[in-house]
Amino acid sequence: MSLSRTLRIPSLPLLRLLSSSAAESRDEKLNRIADELLSLTPRERHDYSILFRHKLGLTNWTSSVGPAAAASAAGPSVAAEEEEKKEEEKTAFDIKLEKFDAAAKIKVIKEVRTFTDLGLKEAKEMVEKAPVVLKKGVIKEEAQAIVAKLKEIGATAVLE
């Protein structure tokens, strides 16, 4: 007599009952992880995303070569998708600090710290590198408000 003939599989309602406690703990765990990820600074989120992709083995070595090489390596479907994206209306903008008045340097550093999660040293280094992209992927209304504030304090900033 084989083992498969004597083994009785529990009915579906019993399986649901047994797995319901595991589902609750799984939901709690996922909610805890999501809350922890949302509490990270943008820089920490970026570092985490790189680490996560690396652990999953999803590193993309062709992207370091350049976008044209990546598109040609991926095939015509990716190139067509990139063309469609360019044609779509832009919804996310980058804020670029082009230059600033020397007298307003401290004000510019303080303002950069208000809309980024950078410390004083990092904000100062970033401002001194002008022209530099201060923030990427900002919605239009928020980006325009930030650019207006920077212009008000004596800096020249643009949306890209």
Side-chain angles (χ1 to χ4, degrees), residues 7-135:
L7 181 65
R8 183 167 183 259
I9 299 174
S11 65
L12 192 56
L14 180 60
L15 286 175
R16 285 185 188 150
L17 179 65
L18 292 174
S19 66
S20 66
S21 63
E24 288 178 55
S25 64
R26 184 177 60 216
D27 289 343
E28 290 172 1
K29 181 179 179 182
L30 292 175
N31 282 327
R32 181 184 50 79
I33 291 170
D35 290 340
E36 288 178 15
L37 289 175
L38 290 172
S39 69
L40 296 175
T41 65
R43 179 169 280 185
E44 289 170 333
R45 278 187 229 137
H46 175 71
D47 292 344
Y48 173 77
S49 68
I50 292 171
L51 176 65
F52 189 71
R53 280 186 250 138
H54 179 70
K55 291 213 178 233
L56 289 175
L58 299 175
T59 55
N60 186 2
W61 299 106
T62 59
S63 65
S64 63
V65 177
S72 65
S77 63
V78 173
E81 287 177 17
E82 287 183 14
E83 290 288 328
E84 290 176 12
K85 286 181 184 177
K86 289 179 183 177
E87 292 173 4
E88 292 177 9
E89 184 177 333
K90 193 170 184 178
T91 57
F93 294 88
D94 297 342
I95 301 170
K96 182 177 182 181
L97 175 68
E98 291 189 338
K99 60 183 178 179
F100 58 91
D101 294 334
K105 181 178 179 180
I106 295 173
K107 291 179 185 177
V108 173
I109 292 170
K110 286 181 180 180
E111 185 61 32
V112 167
R113 288 189 66 207
T114 62
F115 63 86
T116 63
D117 290 331
L118 297 176
L120 181 61
K121 181 181 177 185
E122 293 86 5
K124 180 180 180 271
E125 290 172 354
M126 183 178 277
V127 168
E128 290 175 344
K129 289 181 186 176
V132 65
V133 175
L134 298 174
K135 194 167 184 178

